[in-house]
Amino acid sequence: MEEANQTVSTQKIILFVVFISAALMTLLFVFHMGHKPQPTLAEGDGTLFPAPRDIKPFQLATDKQSFTQKDFLNHWTLLFFGFTHCSSVCPVTMTMLNQAYEKLQRTYPGVQVVLVSLDPDRDTPSSVMKYARSFNPNFIGVTGKIPELRKLQSQLGIFAARDASATENNYQLQHTSSILLINPQGKWAGIFKYGMPPEQFANAFDVSIKSLSRYA
């Protein structure tokens, strides 16, 4: 009888140990899921999102065809908002992108650079495309009607406003100067800060792609 009691006690201890082990494993799993490593960039380079953000439908245009959210698919896209009469930020950024582009394209041959004009009153799809390609023949320039531009701006947090001293045809726009990263699934994946030298930007882009792929 005593031996039977000892067997039952041993079984209870084993079951208890198994239960505690399972509970600990569950807690560790939950902790790991709640603390999943996130894609990161150096502080001075920009921000990568823990989860890419959807981009809702919009319709802009190049010089020859429409440009929609579907044109982001199957490419890494560098998206920049500006305008052709921009005095400083836009030419500086487009020049930097051109200088970084050769290195980026060797490693990521499908990468595309898209300039969206925020100034449809003066910029036509044709003039934006011409402006973009004056920096690099592979760059894409697009614009569209103001309601369609607003659709895209509001999703991506893009600010734009005319200077207070603006006249009807002679004005500058204050606008968001960041470069946005769109992934091959057509989702907004991160932001690069304005003002990086080409080498730093190319390195930040490479780090971004590897980091996003690692934590996808």
Side-chain angles (χ1 to χ4, degrees), residues 107-129:
T107 309
Y108 307 97
V111 64
Q112 62 180 5
V113 175
V114 178
L115 168 66
V116 179
S117 173
L118 296 163
D119 188 17
D121 290 339
R122 293 184 296 183
D123 292 345
T124 65
S126 179
S127 67
V128 180
M129 181 66 85

Side-chain angles (χ1 to χ4, degrees), residues 178-189:
S178 306
I179 299 168
L180 280 56
L181 179 64
I182 312 298
N183 70 20
Q185 291 72 49
K187 297 184 178 184
W188 183 20

